[in-house]
Structure formats: C-alpha cells, structure tokens
Amino acid sequence: MINLISDTVTQPCKSMLKAMMEAEVGDDVFGQDPTINALEAKLMDMFGMEAAVYCPSGTMTNQIAIRVHIGLLEELICDINSHVYQSETGGYAANSGAGVKLIHGTNGKITAEQVKMAINPDYDWVPKSKLVVLENTCNKGGGCYYTAEEIEPITALCKEEGLKLHLDGARIFNALIESGDKPQSMGRLFDSISVCLSKGLGAPVGSVLLGNKDFIKQARRCRKAMGGGMRQAGYLAAACIYALDHNIDRLKIDHDRAKLIAQKVAELPMVENIRPVHTNILIFDVKPPHTSASFIKKLEELGILAVPFGPQTVRFVTHLDFTEAMLDQVLTKLQMLQ
Ligand SMILES: *Cc1c(COP(=O)(O)O)cnc(C)c1O
C-alpha cells in the first residue's frame, strides 16, 4: 500500500533510530533531560526566540498557547478552516473557556483587514478579542503558505490593538522552504510558535512551543496540568534533532511530487475543483455521483491510501516515506481511473 493519508505516517529510518538509541536522557519534568534541552535550544536559536518547551503533540502546543494567552470571557480569532477550530476537539473552549471568532479567509489565509473587522469593540457585553491564530502552511487550505511579508501587517495590527499572535506551525518548514524566508523572520512576528516535528520532518513524536521566557514558564505549568510532562523523553527528542538536521531541505521534493500528482489528477474526468498545490498537500473534489468515499475505495483497490476531507473532497499528502518509485506507481495507477 502507498500511504498518502498524511505526512504523519512516516517510520523512523535506521539512522534516526540509532540517534534515539544513543540519546542521553534525564527527567524532563525537572528540566534534566539533556537531549530535550538541546532540542529546545536548537529551535530557540533557529527561530530567534527566548524559550521553548517540548510537548507530546501539536494539539497540546496549540492548546497550551491558547490557554496562556487567553481566558474566560475572551475570544480568539482564526480562519474557519484552522486546525485549532476544526481538529482539536473544541479544546479552546474546554481548556481555556474561550470563545472563537471565525474568519472566512482564502485557502486558510486571512488578512490584516479581515482581522481588524473581527476585533470586538470594548463593550461590557461582547467577548474581549485577545488572540489571533495563524496556520502556516494551512492544512485545510490545501497547503497554502504565508510569507513573512504577508504576516507583517497582521503583527502590526495585533501590537496596535493589544492582541497576542500565535502561529500553528505544524508545517512551518514546508512554508519556509517555498517562501525562502528564514525561521527568524517568523520568530520576530509572533508571540508564540508551535513547530511539529512529527509531520513532514518525519520524527515519530512531538512538537515544540516557542515564546518569551515568561510565556514558556507559564506554558510549562500548563503542560504539567494537561498531563504532558514526560520523563526520559529525550529518546524522542533525539529523533526530532535528527529530523531537523536531515529532513528540512528535502521537503522541496515532497512539494514537487505533490504537483506532479495534481497534474495527473487534473486529467481525471470525475475530478473537479483541484486546489492549487503550493506545498505537500493536494486537495480536490470528485463529481457526483462519485463521493470521496467511493473514490477512496477505488484508490484503495489500486493500492493507494488517501483520506476524505468532506463528502466530495479528497486529500493526498506527500512525505518522507513516499519515494520516487511510489510516485511513478501512483501516476500510472491514476491513469487507470480515466
Ligand atoms: C497535525 C496538525 C497539528 C497538530 O497535530 P498533532 O497530531 O496533535 O501533533 C496542528 N495543526 C495543524 C495544521 C496540523 O496539521
């Protein structure tokens, strides 16, 4: 089976496993795991941010960020398709008691003008606008990305209006590889950034939350309260360090392969509305009477796994374990659906 369900399906390679086996570890709840400390320091340095905390998942880093930035009777602003709204089980309400104001952006991207319109006036009877969350790349937006230049006006607006700005950077390196921006250019634009190591970079577990010292001090308390304080998790952090050292530049290959698949998918008569491919995600609709379920079943019979993204919508994600040979097979097999 060729698995294009997500870029989370990768297996650690032999040298990543070796790095894990050889990791020096300690108790991270006491701040004594040298490998976790090294991972946090590495990302702080890359993004030019003061402090960092390693967590089991990107959902947890996002939820902690929301919890620290926002509270009761307050509201966060994000695109309607964002992960924090759609795919974290309503955690913003459960963990932070916060409300959400949704923006209908373009392919998951929102503008400073849209944010400005979404900020509530200072009345007793409206939730207080406190936080803006951007996603880069935008998962449900088909892997669209923001450049640093596009984010600058949003940062300026948030500063002016006293709002915090968080980046869900589950696929931030996919964005940076395409835009050519440096990680520091993102670091200076946000109050907090969540970076996933278990997506395109191919580590088995973990995300890192970045921010200033005071923010991360509070984030560590939240992580403990959410049950995310791990002990000798340096074995996992070693895989993350390996991923940062070896798997960033090659993301471009995933992007090129996604574009080639999109070209082939575009030739299929049952397909419409293919979202432009910017990074490693390909989203398209199938025409009735086909459904995403029936199309995915056909693909499965051909040995390809994909995921439904709505009744008519299908998503493919390319990744580290999707090889050139698999690409050739996918292109040939898609031809058979003509
Ligand atoms: C995958 C993902 C996350 C975090 O997911 P976890 O599975 O909890 O690590 C956050 N945001 C986006 C956009 C994602 O795609």
Side-chain angles (χ1 to χ4, degrees):
M1 280 291 178
I2 297 174
N3 194 340
L4 296 172
I5 284 178
S6 176
D7 44 7
T8 55
V9 301
T10 56
Q11 302 279 328
C13 65
K14 279 215 167 65
S15 26
M16 183 183 274
L17 283 170
K18 185 166 183 285
M20 294 170 75
M21 294 307 287
E22 289 170 0
E24 218 187 304
V25 298
D27 188 335
D28 183 49
V29 172
F30 292 103
Q32 288 178 348
D33 188 302
T35 310
I36 292 183
N37 293 343
L39 170 66
E40 291 170 349
K42 192 176 176 72
L43 280 164
M44 280 152 58
D45 193 47
M46 283 175 98
F47 283 83
M49 294 182 91
E50 267 179 31
V53 60
Y54 180 56
C55 295
S57 74
T59 297
M60 188 180 280
T61 43
N62 281 337
Q63 288 302 314
I64 290 173
I66 293 169
R67 181 70 185 84
V68 175
H69 286 312
I70 203 168
L72 295 175
L73 313 184
E74 295 175 342
E75 196 167 73
L76 73 92
I77 296 169
C78 65
D79 180 79
I80 186 162
N81 284 315
S82 54
H83 197 276
V84 292
Y85 176 63
Q86 298 260 358
S87 307
E88 299 183 9
T89 334
Y92 56 89
N95 295 318
S96 306
V100 59
K101 173 82 70 80
L102 299 173
I103 293 178
H104 290 262
T106 308
N107 297 327
K109 287 169 66 179
I110 59 178
T111 64
E113 290 69 37
Q114 288 174 314
V115 174
K116 199 177 170 99
M117 300 278 287
I119 297 174
N120 283 334
D122 188 16
Y123 299 137
D124 288 349
W125 53 90
V126 290
K128 188 164 179 52
S129 306
K130 210 47 191 294
L131 170 68
V132 176
V133 178
L134 303 185
E135 197 171 298
N136 201 15
T137 65
C138 311
N139 177 11
K140 294 207 167 185
C144 239
Y145 62 89
Y146 293 92
T147 62
E149 202 180 347
E150 287 173 306
I151 297 169
E152 269 160 23
I154 301 178
T155 304
L157 175 70
C158 287
K159 286 215 165 85
E160 201 179 298
E161 300 280 344
L163 274 72
K164 298 292 183 193
L165 184 58
H166 172 70
L167 173 62
D168 176 354
R171 297 187 179 83
I172 186 60
F173 288 105
N174 296 84
L176 294 172
I177 282 289
E178 281 300 319
S179 67
D181 290 330
K182 296 276 171 282
Q184 281 99 334
S185 69
M186 290 290 150
R188 62 184 172 76
L189 293 173
F190 290 91
D191 296 293
S192 55
I193 298 182
S194 159
V195 179
C196 281
L197 288 311
S198 60
K199 292 271 165 82
L201 297 185
V205 181
S207 286
V208 170
L209 181 61
L210 297 155
N212 68 23
K213 284 190 178 130
D214 184 50
F215 171 85
I216 293 298
K217 189 170 163 49
Q218 294 178 66
R220 283 184 188 276
R221 290 177 58 79
C222 280
R223 180 183 69 165
K224 196 72 182 83
M226 289 180 181
M230 297 185 288
R231 304 293 178 175
Q232 285 72 22
Y235 293 115
L236 302 173
C240 297
I241 292 173
Y242 181 93
L244 289 169
D245 287 341
H246 296 89
N247 295 341
I248 293 178
D249 290 337
R250 64 152 306 284
L251 290 171
K252 186 85 180 113
I253 300 171
D254 297 343
H255 301 178
D256 293 341
R257 288 179 182 155
K259 286 192 186 103
L260 289 171
I261 299 174
Q263 284 171 14
K264 194 55 82 179
V265 166
E267 292 168 11
L268 300 179
M270 72 272 262
V271 164
E272 62 185 358
N273 193 17
I274 303 179
R275 320 298 194 269
V277 176
H278 299 280
T279 54
N280 67 330
I281 297 174
L282 166 60
I283 297 179
F284 56 88
D285 295 335
V286 289
K287 293 178 197 163
H290 300 280
T291 62
S292 51
S294 69
F295 187 80
I296 282 168
K297 191 155 179 287
K298 275 201 181 73
L299 286 174
E300 209 174 316
E301 284 158 11
L302 295 172
I304 302 167
L305 299 177
V307 78
F309 244 41
Q312 298 300 130
T313 312
V314 176
R315 185 186 77 166
F316 287 166
V317 187
T318 56
H319 53 77
L320 185 59
D321 288 357
F322 177 62
T323 62
E324 190 71 21
M326 291 177 186
L327 172 70
D328 291 341
Q329 281 190 53
V330 167
L331 297 179
T332 311
K333 285 175 173 171
L334 285 172
Q335 195 109 26
M336 290 157 76
L337 291 175
Q338 286 233 353

